[in-house]
């Protein structure tokens, strides 16, 4: 199918970014939100972002003007989707809200239109159940900021057709993005499914008094070489975002429990930079300042703990034919700016070493961290990674 007109539901942080990406790629875009105020805010952010693109020489002023003219802000949902070939929903992570919007879109959008959701964790199948076209419902998860991040996860629901999936992958490429495919509908998909459990485990460790937040972040920065600590990164992206993914997994995954450390922040409204306070305090709401973390705090904590858990979750995706090793490592590199893929790292460390560490983690922290059967099989076959010439 030929895609010309794109409708974006939501003018917030993700919505306005996706609308800008589509317009910069030459598509006519309608951007819908529930009030003129929200739409005005979204357009203001788009103009600011486009201005930055001009400053950096990525587009000309003439191209910027064309981009802005391609975006039509609307309050009317019917008017926004009635001529759409492809709809991308980017509203808050609330299943009932998304189902309601998809039901409305389904009633107004042309029969050929594909309906995509930008959810980062909710099941595509459950969202699609609100429509009469589940074969045309797909996940299209952009990363924040959508204008800059190259990765897009494409997720198949239980009834998503191959044609819908392929069209979404091709559209992502036309947007200048690098798509990865999640072949089965699982909570968290690829990115959040493999990274969230490790983050949650470390939050449990801090809650139990085994480490401090500063010790974890210092080790993450000064030992693992990451640009910011794990807790500082959660503050930056929003503790509420991480919590929504964790809560959704808790509801659907046996033995997975959200750390009280995370829950406490949500209850207090201390959700990170946007609130002015999270695990660290900030100058003002929405004003980021890198927390001062002393290198001497880095000695106690081993930042590889979350890596072992991430490898385990990734192995399960491979074992269940949900994602390929190549797409998993691509996700980590492009979605989280990691210099090396987690499976490449596992091959370097040795699969036998990873398996041994995971058994220690399972013994101490519970059945959720039970090593994947794939890892067990690889060790039995002698597929230990670099040292044996074969691994992931």
């Amino acid at each position: 199918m030929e895609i010309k007109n794109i409708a974006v539901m939501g003018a917030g942080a993700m919505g306005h970014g996706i609308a800008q990406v589509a317009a910069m790629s030459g598509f006519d875009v309608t951007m819908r939100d529930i009030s003129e105020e929200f739409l005005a805010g979204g357009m203001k952010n788009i103009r600011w972002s486009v201005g930055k693109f001009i400053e950096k020489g990525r587009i000309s002023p003439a191209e910027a003007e064309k981009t802005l003219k391609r975006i039509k802000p609307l309050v009317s949902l019917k008017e926004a989707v009635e001529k759409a070939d492809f709809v991308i929903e980017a509203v808050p992570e609330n299943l009932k809200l998304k189902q309601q919007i998809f039901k409305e879109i389904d009633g107004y959008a042309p029969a050929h239109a594909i309906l995509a959701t930008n959810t980062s964790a909710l099941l595509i199948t459950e969202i699609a159940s609100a429509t009469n076209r589940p074969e045309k419902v797909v996940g299209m998860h952009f990363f924040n900021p959508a204008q800059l991040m190259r990765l897009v996860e494409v997720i198949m629901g239980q009834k998503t057709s191959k044609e819908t999936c392929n069209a979404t992958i091709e559209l992502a490429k036309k947007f200048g993005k690098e798509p990865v495919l999640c072949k089965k509908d699982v909570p968290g998909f690829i990115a959040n499914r493999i990274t969230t459990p490790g983050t949650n485990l470390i939050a449990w460790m801090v809650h139990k008094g085994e480490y401090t937040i500063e010790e974890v972040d210092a080790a993450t920065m000064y030992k693992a070489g990451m640009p910011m600590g794990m807790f500082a990164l959660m503050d930056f992206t929003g503790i509420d975002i991480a919590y929504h993914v964790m809560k959704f997994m808790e509801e659907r995954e046996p033995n997975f429990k959200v750390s009280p450390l995370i829950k406490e922040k949500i209850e207090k409204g201390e959700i990170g930079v946007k609130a002015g306070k999270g695990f660290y305090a900030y100058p003002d709401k929405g004003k980021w300042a890198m927390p001062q973390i002393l290198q001497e705090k880095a000695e106690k904590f081993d930042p590889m703990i979350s890596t072992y858990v991430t490898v385990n979750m990734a192995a399960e995706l491979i074992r269940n034919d949900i994602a390929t090793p190549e797409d998993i490592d691509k996700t980590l590199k492009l979605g989280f700016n990691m210099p090396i893929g987690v499976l490449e790292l596992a091959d370097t460390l040795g699969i036998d070493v990873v398996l041994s560490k995971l058994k220690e983690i399972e013994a101490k922290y519970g059945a959720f961290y039970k090593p994947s059967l794939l890892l067990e099989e690889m060790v039995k076959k002698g597929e230990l990674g670099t040292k044996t010439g074969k691994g992931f």
Side-chain angles (χ1 to χ4, degrees):
M1 64 176 286
E2 185 179 7
I3 298 172
K4 291 183 178 179
N5 301 312
I6 293 176
V8 177
M9 300 292 104
M14 293 304 301
H16 83 258
I18 295 168
Q20 179 184 329
V21 168
M24 286 178 66
S25 303
F27 295 92
D28 290 326
V29 181
T30 55
M31 182 175 69
R32 188 263 174 177
D33 215 314
I34 59 173
S35 73
E36 295 289 355
E37 180 185 356
F38 291 160
L39 289 169
M43 290 305 300
K44 179 181 178 181
N45 287 328
I46 290 172
R47 284 191 289 270
W48 178 87
S49 178
V50 167
K52 288 294 180 182
F53 273 73
I54 295 172
E55 282 180 25
K56 294 179 180 180
R58 295 181 62 174
I59 59 173
S60 68
E63 289 170 327
E65 187 177 346
K66 287 180 181 178
T67 293
L68 293 171
K69 285 183 177 179
R70 290 190 190 109
I71 303 171
K72 185 177 182 180
L74 292 165
V75 171
S76 168
L77 186 144
K78 179 179 183 294
E79 190 178 350
V81 305
E82 62 186 359
K83 294 180 181 178
D85 302 307
F86 200 101
V87 181
I88 305 172
E89 166 271 313
V91 305
E93 289 284 78
N94 180 295
L95 179 60
K96 288 184 179 179
L97 173 63
K98 288 181 186 289
Q99 288 176 327
Q100 177 59 37
I101 287 173
F102 267 75
K103 183 179 179 180
E104 292 179 40
I105 295 169
D106 187 42
Y108 293 127
H112 72 272
I114 290 173
L115 314 184
T117 172
N118 181 55
T119 180
S120 58
L122 303 179
L123 293 178
I124 310 306
T125 305
E126 293 181 3
I127 295 171
S129 69
T131 76
N132 291 310
R133 62 178 95 189
E135 75 286 352
K136 290 186 176 292
V137 178
V138 66
M140 193 178 193
H141 177 216
F142 291 77
F143 285 68
N144 193 20
Q147 303 95 318
L148 301 178
M149 297 296 282
R150 291 162 54 201
L151 184 71
V152 168
E153 286 182 297
V154 176
I155 308 101
M156 295 188 72
Q158 289 179 9
K159 295 184 179 180
T160 306
S161 70
K162 289 184 179 179
E163 291 76 16
T164 295
C165 181
N166 291 337
T168 306
I169 289 171
E170 289 307 309
L171 181 62
K173 290 177 180 177
K174 288 178 181 177
F175 284 171
K177 303 301 183 183
E178 297 266 0
V180 294
L181 177 61
C182 186
K183 294 181 275 186
K184 296 178 184 177
D185 202 7
V186 292
F189 318 133
I190 301 175
N192 284 316
R193 186 169 186 81
I194 63 177
T195 58
T196 297
T199 300
N200 189 54
L201 173 59
I202 294 169
W204 268 106
M205 291 175 169
V206 171
H207 170 70
K208 290 179 177 181
E210 296 174 29
Y211 306 100
T212 66
I213 287 169
E214 292 79 8
E215 285 169 345
V216 170
D217 279 6
T220 307
M221 294 171 66
Y222 300 115
K223 283 185 179 178
M226 298 302 291
M228 68 175 76
M230 188 194 86
F231 288 101
L233 179 59
M234 262 199 285
D235 274 0
F236 185 77
T237 57
I239 299 170
D240 55 327
I241 304 297
Y243 175 74
H244 287 316
V245 176
M246 291 176 183
K247 188 63 180 172
F248 189 71
M249 289 185 71
E250 181 179 69
E251 291 168 355
R252 287 161 174 77
E253 297 289 341
N255 305 313
F256 184 88
K257 299 296 179 186
V258 182
S259 166
L261 187 74
I262 306 290
K263 288 182 179 179
E264 182 182 316
K265 289 296 172 185
I266 298 299
E267 289 166 1
K268 290 182 177 179
E270 297 174 357
I271 56 174
V273 177
K274 55 192 169 187
K277 187 175 183 182
F279 295 110
Y280 299 93
Y282 298 94
D284 202 351
K285 290 182 179 180
K287 189 171 179 60
W288 164 254
M290 178 67 84
Q292 297 302 307
I293 301 167
L294 299 175
Q295 187 169 353
E296 63 196 45
K297 296 272 189 179
E299 295 307 312
K300 190 176 177 184
F301 178 72
D302 178 8
M304 292 303 296
I305 290 171
S306 61
T307 299
Y308 303 135
V309 175
T310 301
V311 172
N312 198 42
M313 299 301 294
E316 280 295 277
L317 291 188
I318 297 166
R319 187 175 77 87
N320 291 296
D321 193 31
I322 294 167
T324 65
E326 293 76 17
D327 273 358
I328 288 169
D329 274 358
K330 186 176 178 181
T331 297
L332 269 293
K333 290 176 183 177
L334 298 182
F336 297 93
N337 295 316
M338 292 187 177
I340 183 172
V342 72
L343 300 178
E344 293 172 328
L345 181 57
D347 279 354
T348 302
L349 293 169
I351 307 304
D352 52 339
V353 173
V354 174
L355 180 61
S356 176
K357 293 290 186 180
L358 281 167
K359 287 180 177 178
E360 292 176 14
I361 292 171
E362 180 195 9
K364 191 171 183 180
Y365 298 103
F368 181 80
Y369 303 100
K370 181 179 176 63
S372 169
L373 287 176
L374 178 60
L375 298 176
E376 300 271 12
E377 290 166 5
M378 290 174 73
V379 171
K380 285 179 183 177
K381 292 178 182 177
E383 298 173 357
L384 308 181
T386 307
K387 58 188 173 187
T388 59
K390 187 176 182 182
F392 283 107

